[in-house]
PDB file of all heavy atoms in Angstrom:
ATOM      1  N   LEU A  64      17.089  20.704  35.291  1.00  0.00           N
ATOM      2  CA  LEU A  64      15.668  20.771  34.902  1.00  0.00           C
ATOM      3  C   LEU A  64      15.456  21.979  34.026  1.00  0.00           C
ATOM      4  O   LEU A  64      14.794  21.711  32.966  1.00  0.00           O
ATOM      5  CB  LEU A  64      14.900  20.836  36.129  1.00  0.00           C
ATOM      6  CG  LEU A  64      13.370  20.608  35.898  1.00  0.00           C
ATOM      7  CD1 LEU A  64      12.977  19.348  35.080  1.00  0.00           C
ATOM      8  CD2 LEU A  64      12.533  20.617  37.148  1.00  0.00           C
ATOM      9  N   VAL A 116       3.772  28.535  35.718  1.00  0.00           N
ATOM     10  CA  VAL A 116       2.892  27.240  36.344  1.00  0.00           C
ATOM     11  C   VAL A 116       3.685  26.130  36.544  1.00  0.00           C
ATOM     12  O   VAL A 116       3.731  25.452  37.699  1.00  0.00           O
ATOM     13  CB  VAL A 116       1.667  26.999  35.442  1.00  0.00           C
ATOM     14  CG1 VAL A 116       0.961  25.827  35.953  1.00  0.00           C
ATOM     15  CG2 VAL A 116       0.703  28.175  35.323  1.00  0.00           C
ATOM     16  N   GLY A 117       4.322  25.611  35.563  1.00  0.00           N
ATOM     17  CA  GLY A 117       5.143  24.367  35.692  1.00  0.00           C
ATOM     18  C   GLY A 117       6.226  24.376  36.717  1.00  0.00           C
ATOM     19  O   GLY A 117       6.328  23.546  37.636  1.00  0.00           O
ATOM     20  N   ALA A 118       7.239  25.425  36.491  1.00  0.00           N
ATOM     21  CA  ALA A 118       8.360  25.425  37.320  1.00  0.00           C
ATOM     22  C   ALA A 118       7.878  25.890  38.803  1.00  0.00           C
ATOM     23  O   ALA A 118       8.357  25.284  39.885  1.00  0.00           O
ATOM     24  CB  ALA A 118       9.263  26.424  36.913  1.00  0.00           C
ATOM     25  N   GLY A 119       6.778  26.632  38.841  1.00  0.00           N
ATOM     26  CA  GLY A 119       6.201  27.024  40.147  1.00  0.00           C
ATOM     27  C   GLY A 119       5.743  25.824  40.912  1.00  0.00           C
ATOM     28  O   GLY A 119       5.907  25.610  42.148  1.00  0.00           O
ATOM     29  N   LEU A 120       5.008  25.028  40.239  1.00  0.00           N
ATOM     30  CA  LEU A 120       4.479  23.729  40.914  1.00  0.00           C
ATOM     31  C   LEU A 120       5.610  22.858  41.320  1.00  0.00           C
ATOM     32  O   LEU A 120       5.474  22.381  42.464  1.00  0.00           O
ATOM     33  CB  LEU A 120       3.522  23.089  39.928  1.00  0.00           C
ATOM     34  CG  LEU A 120       2.146  23.783  39.895  1.00  0.00           C
ATOM     35  CD1 LEU A 120       1.360  23.041  38.672  1.00  0.00           C
ATOM     36  CD2 LEU A 120       1.391  23.717  40.949  1.00  0.00           C
ATOM     37  N   ALA A 121       6.571  22.714  40.452  1.00  0.00           N
ATOM     38  CA  ALA A 121       7.750  21.891  40.781  1.00  0.00           C
ATOM     39  C   ALA A 121       8.546  22.458  42.111  1.00  0.00           C
ATOM     40  O   ALA A 121       9.006  21.651  42.952  1.00  0.00           O
ATOM     41  CB  ALA A 121       8.697  21.695  39.555  1.00  0.00           C
ATOM     42  N   VAL A 122       8.655  23.622  42.065  1.00  0.00           N
ATOM     43  CA  VAL A 122       9.356  24.384  43.216  1.00  0.00           C
ATOM     44  C   VAL A 122       8.543  23.940  44.615  1.00  0.00           C
ATOM     45  O   VAL A 122       9.095  23.707  45.669  1.00  0.00           O
ATOM     46  CB  VAL A 122       9.566  25.890  43.039  1.00  0.00           C
ATOM     47  CG1 VAL A 122       9.843  26.538  44.280  1.00  0.00           C
ATOM     48  CG2 VAL A 122      10.634  26.007  41.978  1.00  0.00           C
ATOM     49  N   THR A 123       7.100  23.963  44.435  1.00  0.00           N
ATOM     50  CA  THR A 123       6.403  23.561  45.654  1.00  0.00           C
ATOM     51  C   THR A 123       6.238  22.156  46.040  1.00  0.00           C
ATOM     52  O   THR A 123       5.709  21.885  46.933  1.00  0.00           O
ATOM     53  CB  THR A 123       4.963  24.288  45.473  1.00  0.00           C
ATOM     54  OG1 THR A 123       4.328  23.537  44.326  1.00  0.00           O
ATOM     55  CG2 THR A 123       5.004  25.670  45.197  1.00  0.00           C
ATOM     56  N   GLY A 124       7.097  21.306  45.209  1.00  0.00           N
ATOM     57  CA  GLY A 124       7.216  20.003  45.554  1.00  0.00           C
ATOM     58  C   GLY A 124       6.352  19.144  44.566  1.00  0.00           C
ATOM     59  O   GLY A 124       6.336  17.805  44.860  1.00  0.00           O
ATOM     60  N   VAL A 125       5.630  19.544  43.689  1.00  0.00           N
ATOM     61  CA  VAL A 125       4.832  18.652  42.772  1.00  0.00           C
ATOM     62  C   VAL A 125       5.880  17.977  41.747  1.00  0.00           C
ATOM     63  O   VAL A 125       6.887  18.657  41.316  1.00  0.00           O
ATOM     64  CB  VAL A 125       3.925  19.610  41.941  1.00  0.00           C
ATOM     65  CG1 VAL A 125       3.182  18.602  40.870  1.00  0.00           C
ATOM     66  CG2 VAL A 125       2.908  20.167  42.875  1.00  0.00           C
ATOM     67  N   GLU A 126       5.830  16.787  41.526  1.00  0.00           N
ATOM     68  CA  GLU A 126       6.703  16.039  40.699  1.00  0.00           C
ATOM     69  C   GLU A 126       6.790  16.574  39.333  1.00  0.00           C
ATOM     70  O   GLU A 126       5.821  16.954  38.919  1.00  0.00           O
ATOM     71  CB  GLU A 126       6.200  14.454  40.652  1.00  0.00           C
ATOM     72  CG  GLU A 126       7.285  13.515  40.198  1.00  0.00           C
ATOM     73  CD  GLU A 126       7.312  13.387  38.676  1.00  0.00           C
ATOM     74  OE1 GLU A 126       6.271  13.731  38.067  1.00  0.00           O
ATOM     75  OE2 GLU A 126       8.402  13.108  38.221  1.00  0.00           O
ATOM     76  N   TYR A 127       8.021  16.664  38.843  1.00  0.00           N
ATOM     77  CA  TYR A 127       8.200  17.560  37.630  1.00  0.00           C
ATOM     78  C   TYR A 127       7.195  17.155  36.393  1.00  0.00           C
ATOM     79  O   TYR A 127       6.873  17.906  35.523  1.00  0.00           O
ATOM     80  CB  TYR A 127       9.585  17.799  37.154  1.00  0.00           C
ATOM     81  CG  TYR A 127      10.382  16.534  36.564  1.00  0.00           C
ATOM     82  CD1 TYR A 127      10.451  16.428  35.274  1.00  0.00           C
ATOM     83  CD2 TYR A 127      11.028  15.728  37.390  1.00  0.00           C
ATOM     84  CE1 TYR A 127      11.052  15.267  34.719  1.00  0.00           C
ATOM     85  CE2 TYR A 127      11.727  14.654  36.813  1.00  0.00           C
ATOM     86  CZ  TYR A 127      11.724  14.406  35.565  1.00  0.00           C
ATOM     87  OH  TYR A 127      12.412  13.436  34.987  1.00  0.00           O
ATOM     88  N   HIS A 128       7.037  15.758  36.246  1.00  0.00           N
ATOM     89  CA  HIS A 128       6.220  15.344  35.202  1.00  0.00           C
ATOM     90  C   HIS A 128       4.804  15.901  35.238  1.00  0.00           C
ATOM     91  O   HIS A 128       4.100  16.272  34.480  1.00  0.00           O
ATOM     92  CB  HIS A 128       6.189  13.750  35.060  1.00  0.00           C
ATOM     93  CG  HIS A 128       7.381  13.137  34.489  1.00  0.00           C
ATOM     94  ND1 HIS A 128       8.422  12.674  35.249  1.00  0.00           N
ATOM     95  CD2 HIS A 128       7.790  13.183  33.157  1.00  0.00           C
ATOM     96  CE1 HIS A 128       9.377  12.192  34.481  1.00  0.00           C
ATOM     97  NE2 HIS A 128       9.095  12.531  33.238  1.00  0.00           N
ATOM     98  N   LEU A 129       4.296  15.791  36.669  1.00  0.00           N
ATOM     99  CA  LEU A 129       2.805  16.249  36.962  1.00  0.00           C
ATOM    100  C   LEU A 129       2.779  17.665  36.730  1.00  0.00           C
ATOM    101  O   LEU A 129       1.757  18.188  36.127  1.00  0.00           O
ATOM    102  CB  LEU A 129       2.413  15.759  38.308  1.00  0.00           C
ATOM    103  CG  LEU A 129       0.994  16.262  38.659  1.00  0.00           C
ATOM    104  CD1 LEU A 129      -0.043  15.608  37.878  1.00  0.00           C
ATOM    105  CD2 LEU A 129       0.720  15.767  40.224  1.00  0.00           C
ATOM    106  N   ALA A 130       3.776  18.364  37.174  1.00  0.00           N
ATOM    107  CA  ALA A 130       3.764  19.791  36.967  1.00  0.00           C
ATOM    108  C   ALA A 130       3.758  20.339  35.507  1.00  0.00           C
ATOM    109  O   ALA A 130       3.103  21.093  35.196  1.00  0.00           O
ATOM    110  CB  ALA A 130       5.025  20.403  37.781  1.00  0.00           C
ATOM    111  N   LEU A 133       0.074  19.639  34.123  1.00  0.00           N
ATOM    112  CA  LEU A 133      -0.890  20.547  34.520  1.00  0.00           C
ATOM    113  C   LEU A 133      -0.562  21.853  33.791  1.00  0.00           C
ATOM    114  O   LEU A 133      -1.532  22.581  33.343  1.00  0.00           O
ATOM    115  CB  LEU A 133      -0.598  20.838  36.020  1.00  0.00           C
ATOM    116  CG  LEU A 133      -1.134  19.695  37.055  1.00  0.00           C
ATOM    117  CD1 LEU A 133      -0.781  19.946  38.412  1.00  0.00           C
ATOM    118  CD2 LEU A 133      -2.587  19.453  36.634  1.00  0.00           C
TER     119      LEU A 133
END
Side-chain angles (χ1 to χ4, degrees):
L64 185 58
V116 176
L120 288 171
V122 166
T123 65
V125 176
E126 198 273 334
Y127 74 93
H128 286 103
L129 179 58
L133 294 171

